[in-house]
Amino acid sequence: MSDERRRESQVLPFLVAALVCDVAATEPVSGKKSLIGIFDRVIAHKFPTARQLTVYGKIADAVGYYRVAVRFVQVKSGNVLAEASGTIMVQDRLSSTDFLVPFPMPLPLIEEGRYVFQVLMNDAVIGEAFIDATLVPDSTSQE
């Protein structure tokens, strides 16, 4: 067993929040997170298209070392279209911890429908966020 595996926490955290946003940043002195453009719907002129984004996560009841991963999954097919990962160390189980998972490339939106971001801690899915992709409404049609 590797040193990394021995250090992994056995405590499965609780996902308090998962938000999708255009841009996110961490203030260097305070550690505060700034989220710009929080959304759950993408309206496109055509498909396929792609979108650059970041996922913000907040967990509670965690302590120790965690491998964090976020999988981008098309619900209709169940296909994993992208994944981003990192690590965090949580010192105090009684406090909450937040983190940013930026995707290094624009994510593919193949067609209209729902896409989910599965949040994993040490390979266990602890929750998810979603976005819905739709076409721009046809302004020439009459209701």
Side-chain angles (χ1 to χ4, degrees):
M1 185 180 248
S2 72
D3 288 338
E4 185 176 288
R5 287 268 181 206
R6 266 187 255 130
R7 290 189 327 217
E8 286 180 7
S9 179
Q10 299 302 304
V11 177
L12 189 61
F14 175 77
L15 184 65
V16 176
L19 299 171
V20 181
C21 61
D22 292 319
V23 179
T26 302
E27 201 278 321
V29 175
S30 68
K32 290 180 184 178
K33 308 293 186 285
S34 293
L35 309 179
I36 301 168
I38 298 169
F39 65 95
D40 65 3
R41 182 170 312 276
V42 173
I43 301 172
H45 289 283
K46 64 181 177 113
F47 289 97
T49 189
R51 181 77 183 254
Q52 187 77 42
L53 56 82
T54 297
V55 173
Y56 164 85
K58 183 173 185 172
I59 57 173
D61 195 27
V63 66
Y65 171 81
Y66 293 92
R67 287 178 295 107
V68 180
V70 177
R71 288 187 196 139
F72 181 62
V73 179
Q74 182 185 27
V75 171
K76 179 180 175 181
S77 67
N79 292 335
V80 176
L81 304 176
E83 185 171 326
S85 61
T87 60
I88 59 171
M89 177 63 88
V90 181
Q91 301 294 333
D92 182 1
R93 189 169 181 173
L94 298 179
S95 66
S96 61
T97 300
D98 58 2
F99 53 89
L100 301 174
V101 181
F103 280 82
M105 65 192 83
L107 297 179
L109 298 163
I110 299 164
E111 61 187 349
E112 286 188 278
R114 181 160 283 194
Y115 296 80
V116 295
F117 296 88
Q118 297 174 334
V119 180
L120 294 87
M121 305 295 282
N122 294 343
D123 298 325
V125 176
I126 62 167
E128 61 186 34
F130 71 88
I131 59 173
D132 290 320
T134 61
L135 283 169
V136 172
D138 183 2
S139 61
T140 60
S141 67
Q142 295 180 348
E143 297 180 59

